[in-house]
Amino acid sequence: MGRSCITFAPGHISGYFQRIDGISAQTTGSLGAGIVIDKGVTVEMREASEVRIEISDGSMDDWLIREVLASLDVTAEVKVIVDLPIGAGFGMSAAGLLAAYSAANCVFQLEMTAQDIATAAHEVEVSHGTGLGDVAAATGGGLVVRTHPGISGVTTRLYPDDEFWTISFGGISTHDVITSHEKMEQVATAFPEREPATLEEFMENSLSFTEKSGLLPPDLLPVLAACKAAGVPASMMMLGNGVFAVGPAAENVLKQFGEPILLHVSRSGPVILEENYV
């Protein structure tokens, strides 16, 4: 008899950020704010004598799951369902890491705490240059404000009921941006001084950052202009070639440019959906 577990971890859309370099992976990360979303990554894992990985979406490489299994020195059969594109600003790599570590912890009864799981996932993200603050945010739900780097940097979680709509034109290399000293200097000067206390303030901060950061792709200019003309709060997803916008009116505006995706704020971080003996 072996164990199997199905876990889910939510994605995260960052509105703005600032890289902080520490003396270790745990003191390296970012400040900023973003929304934890109700779409993410589902992982089904069962004990096996060798590693076998099946991923529903070809945009996600299996290195991430292999990294998790290798770091824990376990072998498993793993099926992964990715709700949204990788590398497009939806925090799917962080979601995949959190879901995979949670599943391995459940299957192999490793007795890792939620903090242990977050610490391990954050270390992989930072060391591979796939993210800076997504793991810290996605350990819980809400609109998240992070004022310190690392997994303990979250100071505020708000839970707006508003619907969000997003449109994506593909990815931006997170690694290329966050490892560029020049880009990170410009990002630091664009970082908002005011901490948001409401969704409205978060969207204002995000748009201001987008306009000043030097990261805005030309594709997104007409989309943001149309949102502004319609009075729809909107900003660029950090880091992805896409826009997220608030409220029901956003759907019709974004529909002019492609197929919008409906999102809501997640109420929780990683969860175990099912646990079985097989």
Side-chain angles (χ1 to χ4, degrees):
M1 293 284 283
R3 293 168 66 84
S4 76
C5 286
I6 302 175
T7 57
F8 171 82
H12 173 248
I13 293 174
S14 181
Y16 58 94
F17 71 100
Q18 179 182 345
R19 179 176 182 126
I20 303 293
D21 288 300
I23 58 171
S24 69
Q26 293 312 317
T27 54
T28 297
S30 66
L31 319 181
I35 52 168
V36 182
I37 56 177
D38 59 351
K39 291 186 185 294
V41 176
T42 303
V43 168
E44 180 178 356
M45 187 179 294
R46 69 186 66 237
E47 292 180 63
S49 56
E50 60 183 35
V51 174
R52 291 191 298 276
I53 300 169
E54 180 186 320
I55 298 177
S56 68
D57 183 336
S59 72
M60 185 179 192
D61 198 331
D62 69 3
W63 74 265
L64 184 145
I65 305 299
R66 291 185 183 279
E67 186 81 18
V68 171
L69 298 177
S71 72
L72 299 172
D73 195 24
V74 296
T75 54
E77 183 180 306
V78 187
K79 292 181 181 177
V80 184
I81 298 171
V82 186
D83 291 339
L84 294 165
I86 291 281
F90 294 111
M92 290 295 105
S93 58
L97 286 164
L98 286 168
Y101 272 113
S102 298
N105 186 47
C106 171
V107 169
F108 297 100
Q109 297 181 287
L110 302 175
E111 298 186 359
M112 296 172 78
T113 64
Q115 184 164 344
D116 293 336
I117 288 168
T119 297
H122 179 73
E123 191 149 332
V124 175
E125 280 259 273
V126 170
S127 62
H128 288 273
T130 55
L132 291 170
D134 290 328
V135 167
T139 54
L143 190 169
V144 183
V145 181
R146 294 170 290 105
T147 56
H148 299 90
I151 60 165
S152 59
V154 174
T155 50
T156 306
R157 290 189 190 270
L158 308 172
Y159 295 91
D161 290 325
D162 306 68
E163 59 188 50
F164 290 81
W165 290 88
T166 179
I167 187 165
S168 175
F169 302 105
I172 289 175
S173 171
T174 299
H175 180 275
D176 289 352
V177 173
I178 67 176
T179 56
S180 163
H181 180 68
E182 185 184 344
K183 286 189 168 112
M184 287 302 93
E185 278 194 338
Q186 187 165 358
V187 160
T189 62
F191 193 81
E193 291 181 10
R194 175 186 63 174
E195 276 183 39
T198 63
L199 173 59
E200 183 182 11
E201 288 177 1
F202 163 68
M203 294 304 296
E204 288 169 1
N205 279 4
S206 298
L207 182 58
S208 168
F209 176 83
T210 290
E211 292 170 343
K212 296 173 184 174
S213 67
L215 299 174
L216 180 59
D219 306 6
L220 303 187
L221 289 168
V223 185
L224 291 174
C227 287
K228 187 174 183 180
V232 170
S235 191
M236 173 186 168
M237 296 188 291
M238 298 292 164
L239 286 155
N241 191 7
V243 165
F244 68 104
V246 180
E251 181 186 13
N252 284 332
V253 178
L254 296 184
K255 212 181 267 184
Q256 302 168 55
F257 303 95
E259 191 63 43
I261 300 165
L262 175 62
L263 300 170
H264 294 91
V265 173
S266 176
R267 298 279 153 176
S268 71
V271 291
I272 295 172
L273 300 178
E274 201 175 300
E275 188 175 351
N276 295 301
Y277 286 93
V278 291

